[in-house]
Amino acid sequence: MKTHVLNTPIRDEDLENIEIGDLVYLNGALITARDQAHHRLVKLGRKLPVDLNRKAILHAGPIMVPAEDVKSGWKVASIGPTTSMRMELFEKEFIEETGVKLIIGKGGMGPNTEAGCREKKAIHCVFPGGCAVVAAACVEEVEDHQWPELGMPESMWVMRVKKFGPLICSIDTQGRNLFKENKKVFEERKAPIVERICALVDYQK
């Protein structure tokens, strides 16, 4: 396991040595883009109001609070990741159309995302669940707010972050999937354990 620091704009070569299981920290632009952003772009063909090329997105619905002392008028109170698998249907096309290089969320993703990461040189990472306040502390500034009509969770929030993480790479540029590979290992380890348990357990009559 290695540790990497990514700075936006992210280049293809910045991702070449990152493998599944590695730790990643992000500096620079991070934009929230979850269900509605994916649906509007891929399903409805609507252009995103934010340029994501060579940047990072976060599958999240943040809690924002009004702030008069910043240009955007908002600060982050909490920003925990949401389940990435909900975006699986659209993620390959989303990567292709936006040029996004780093996707962050919660839990694993599937073959569509694997293909998108492999073909367009991107990675998916997971942020630890239950650490939403820690994530908020990594946000230096909320710079912009787009699609407010979608409500706070589904809006696109443009943030500048510093050492955002720790992130665990779950899909690398080779399309390798940490969750899928770990599942195989767990199944292999489980079989003999279940067999031993079953030999010691019987039903009462």
Side-chain angles (χ1 to χ4, degrees):
M1 182 179 70
K2 304 182 295 295
T3 299
H4 312 263
V5 177
L6 292 175
N7 300 284
T8 60
I10 300 169
R11 305 168 300 171
D12 289 359
E13 51 265 40
D14 296 332
L15 305 176
E16 288 177 352
N17 295 322
I18 299 178
E19 300 178 324
I20 54 174
D22 285 357
L23 293 181
V24 177
Y25 290 88
L26 174 70
N27 296 319
L30 176 62
I31 300 95
T32 61
R34 49 181 284 173
D35 305 66
Q36 285 300 318
H38 286 71
H39 185 266
R40 282 187 168 186
L41 176 69
V42 179
K43 188 78 171 181
L44 303 182
R46 293 185 59 174
K47 183 178 180 180
L48 296 181
V50 181
D51 180 12
L52 300 180
N53 188 42
R54 298 170 65 191
K55 295 176 183 173
I57 62 168
L58 175 61
H59 297 153
I63 298 174
M64 298 287 185
V65 293
E68 296 181 356
D69 58 334
V70 294
K71 185 178 179 181
S72 70
W74 297 94
K75 285 186 178 179
V76 185
S78 174
I79 187 165
T82 195
T83 304
S84 285
M85 188 56 79
R86 293 206 313 274
M87 275 55 76
E88 167 66 12
L89 178 64
F90 302 123
E91 204 67 78
K92 181 177 185 291
E93 292 81 1
F94 193 91
I95 294 169
E96 291 172 348
E97 295 189 34
T98 63
V100 66
K101 289 296 179 185
L102 172 60
I103 302 138
I104 304 167
K106 181 175 69 175
M109 298 194 79
N112 274 342
T113 307
E114 293 169 16
C117 288
R118 182 173 58 249
E119 294 170 15
K120 296 299 180 181
K121 302 303 176 188
I123 64 172
H124 176 267
C125 292
V126 293
F127 186 88
C131 298
V133 176
V134 173
C138 300
V139 179
E140 293 188 310
E141 184 180 356
V142 178
E143 297 182 336
D144 196 11
H145 177 209
Q146 294 291 332
W147 283 347
E149 72 275 11
L150 293 175
M152 187 176 291
E154 293 286 355
S155 295
M156 297 188 73
W157 297 91
V158 181
M159 301 170 290
R160 186 178 70 250
V161 299
K162 184 174 183 179
K163 206 173 182 183
F164 187 87
L167 312 172
I168 302 171
C169 179
S170 67
I171 299 177
D172 59 25
T173 58
Q174 303 301 311
R176 293 180 59 204
N177 189 320
L178 179 66
F179 282 82
K180 186 181 292 185
E181 293 192 12
N182 279 349
K183 187 175 181 179
K184 292 179 181 178
V185 174
F186 299 154
E187 288 296 327
E188 291 172 359
R189 293 177 179 176
K190 183 180 74 173
I193 295 173
V194 171
E195 186 177 349
R196 289 199 301 271
I197 292 174
C198 290
L200 300 172
V201 176
D202 197 3
Y203 292 104
Q204 291 184 344
K205 296 181 180 179

